[in-house]
Amino acid sequence: MKHLFLISLVFLLSSCHTTKINSKTNDTVDISNHAMIVSARAEASKIGIEILKKGGNAFDAMVATDAALAVCYPFAGNIGGGGFMVYRLNDGTTGTLDYREKAPKKAHENMYLDEQENVIPRLSLDGALAVGVPGTVAGMWEAHQKFGKLSWREVIQPAIDLAEKGFYVTEKQAASLNKSRELFQKVNKGRTIYFDKSWKEGDIIKQPNLAKTLTVIRDKGKDGFYEGKIGKEIANFIQSQGGIITEEDLKDYKPVWRDPIEFNFHDYKITTMPPPSSGGIVLGQILKTLEDYNLKDYQHNSADYIQIITEVERRAYADRAHYLGDPDFVKVPVKELLDKTYLKDRIQNYTPRKATKSKDISHGNIEWVESNETTHYSIVDNYGNAISVTTTINGAYGSKLYDNNLGFFFNNEMDDFSSKPGKPNMFGLIGGEANKIEPEKRMLSSMTPTIVSKNGKLYMVLGSPGGSTIITTVLQTILNQTLFGMDMQTAVSSPRFHHQWLPDEILLEPKGFNQTTKDTLKKWGYHLNEKDNIILGKMDAILVLPNGQLQAGADPRGDDAAAGF
């Protein structure tokens, strides 16, 4: 079986029609002449590329790739979650689509508190009450209706075929599924769910019930998911498990087209996601502040380099916690937060080679946490269109709540709200008022799908999962390539670090930084955290080379893979 699995992977990757070269990190770099997709699974990337070969565009490939990830990457790929899309058309037009989940209409500010107003552990993480109204299918439909070329039926069908025929389990996937078995059993309250088995590398997973659900979506569009038999099944199932989502919640869900966050960083134009994503604003604050420092003079990932980036991140994340939320509910001071004068003032109390304490940074009474389990894919088509999509069900396998009849996991996005604004919960975490729970509100996110242009032309498409580390993963990948000239794969594979204001520590990927650098940072007053299990993001990126070829960066931290032609 393992032999067949390896043959399958070789076939998938060899059918990508990409040229392979060596990178500085000894990872293979994929280069394509016309179009490219990089995603969390080889199967999904290949399916998207086949759609492009049939004459489809990036938006057709988005639907096909997204639906395929829902089949072969249940860890984060989904039809039971939501996401964000940033796009750039071949004429330079940019925009974003927000299909983030929403709080149900019966949601309220105190729904995760007990009678003493203490946060009930894991109530917003596990099970039906943690589920937000899903947005993925509506987002796929909306993007395709506005920009797609091929029929909806044609772009959904490959995922149905994949669900029926099955896909091979990777070593990492088997470990992930097996690790979650206990929670699957606990959340599903004695019901045996499809994924509650012991898995091993090379196993084949077929999902006939998910194929049936996707077939209804194929035949009836988004209404096939949000209304009719499936909509009724979702509402009845979630309510039977203690949740509050209704048929009305599903029927009334709508994605939102939003203007992107756009700013310049040296010679590059950055196009990224606005609120309710915090990613664009925080990324903008960091890059616009760093623009005043000649980072090219710093040795890459040296103590001095890590320090200045850490201190800028510390201040940006403090602002993130205080000001940001769903712009349909709270006023977000976007212009003020990205103002250069404001940003210069924020960094005035920075002292080289001496750590600032997070408690000394303003708004230091708010701490936040966000799950790491998301997925991202980047697409450039042969027409010159580009899209960057980050999609999620929040935690690993979302709420762990699985509907056997429909064949998918539901999200636990309600945990991204502040469970108790202004007061600490049992873990000492304090949430912001701007991100408190309100009916039909979208929860704050760190997802940062991003597109970079240079001299009016497409330059880079990138994004990553990783919860609060998404922003710094995108940041470092941009810096690695634009300042240090790394090829795309090296820029993606290079060791990463992260600081998010609170807790006051620098996360370091293990074995990625030399001892001298770590000792120096400690000497300057920094607390380092480099536990063996730290993984900072899983970046999937595409770079447009000067000759017009496309160069991939598929993150070796996962099973990520590129496909192209």
Side-chain angles (χ1 to χ4, degrees), residues 33-94:
N33 292 321
H34 306 294
M36 180 167 277
I37 298 176
V38 191
S39 81
R41 290 285 300 220
E43 298 92 337
S45 296
K46 182 177 182 293
I47 281 173
I49 281 294
E50 291 303 317
I51 288 295
L52 294 180
K53 288 180 178 179
K54 289 182 179 181
N57 62 17
F59 301 93
D60 297 310
M62 169 201 171
V63 176
T65 302
D66 216 310
L69 286 169
V71 175
C72 64
Y73 195 56
F75 179 84
N78 67 85
I79 55 174
F84 297 126
M85 175 186 72
V86 174
Y87 69 86
R88 185 186 190 277
L89 304 181
N90 53 19
D91 64 0
T93 302
T94 58

Side-chain angles (χ1 to χ4, degrees), residues 213-358:
T213 297
L214 290 170
T215 299
V216 174
I217 294 170
R218 179 199 68 188
D219 295 341
K220 298 185 177 181
K222 79 171 180 63
D223 289 347
F225 181 84
Y226 290 94
E227 301 181 40
K229 290 184 179 180
I230 292 180
K232 187 178 292 294
E233 162 76 15
I234 291 173
N236 289 343
F237 174 72
I238 289 179
Q239 289 174 35
S240 74
Q241 300 298 308
I244 57 176
I245 288 178
T246 65
E247 290 183 64
E248 184 181 6
D249 284 320
L250 294 164
K251 184 177 181 180
D252 290 349
Y253 181 88
K254 289 181 176 57
V256 181
W257 295 96
R258 300 190 189 276
D259 293 332
I261 297 290
E262 293 190 297
F263 57 91
N264 293 324
F265 174 67
H266 296 304
D267 296 332
Y268 304 92
K269 180 181 179 181
I270 313 295
T271 302
T272 186
M273 198 70 205
S277 169
S278 64
I281 289 177
V282 175
L283 180 66
Q285 286 190 301
I286 297 171
L287 283 174
K288 285 165 74 74
T289 303
L290 291 175
E291 195 173 31
D292 292 335
Y293 295 83
N294 194 359
L295 294 182
K296 288 184 178 180
D297 290 345
Y298 293 70
Q299 181 182 348
H300 182 257
N301 278 358
S302 64
D304 289 308
Y305 181 80
I306 293 172
Q307 189 205 12
I308 182 58
I309 292 175
T310 291
E311 292 300 339
V312 176
E313 289 173 352
R314 187 195 308 274
R315 290 154 176 81
Y317 275 82
D319 280 354
R320 187 263 192 205
H322 185 74
Y323 291 110
L324 303 187
D326 184 346
D328 296 334
F329 283 75
V330 297
K331 179 174 174 55
V332 180
V334 176
K335 183 178 178 181
E336 291 81 359
L337 288 170
L338 293 173
D339 180 76
K340 286 284 282 189
T341 301
Y342 169 76
L343 294 173
K344 285 182 178 180
D345 183 65
R346 288 286 281 154
I347 199 69
Q348 284 299 311
N349 59 349
Y350 153 67
T351 303
R353 304 192 171 185
K354 182 181 179 183
T356 307
K357 300 299 181 185
S358 287

Side-chain angles (χ1 to χ4, degrees), residues 390-401:
T390 312
T391 180
T392 184
I393 45 177
N394 201 27
Y397 311 101
S399 62
K400 315 298 186 296
L401 185 68

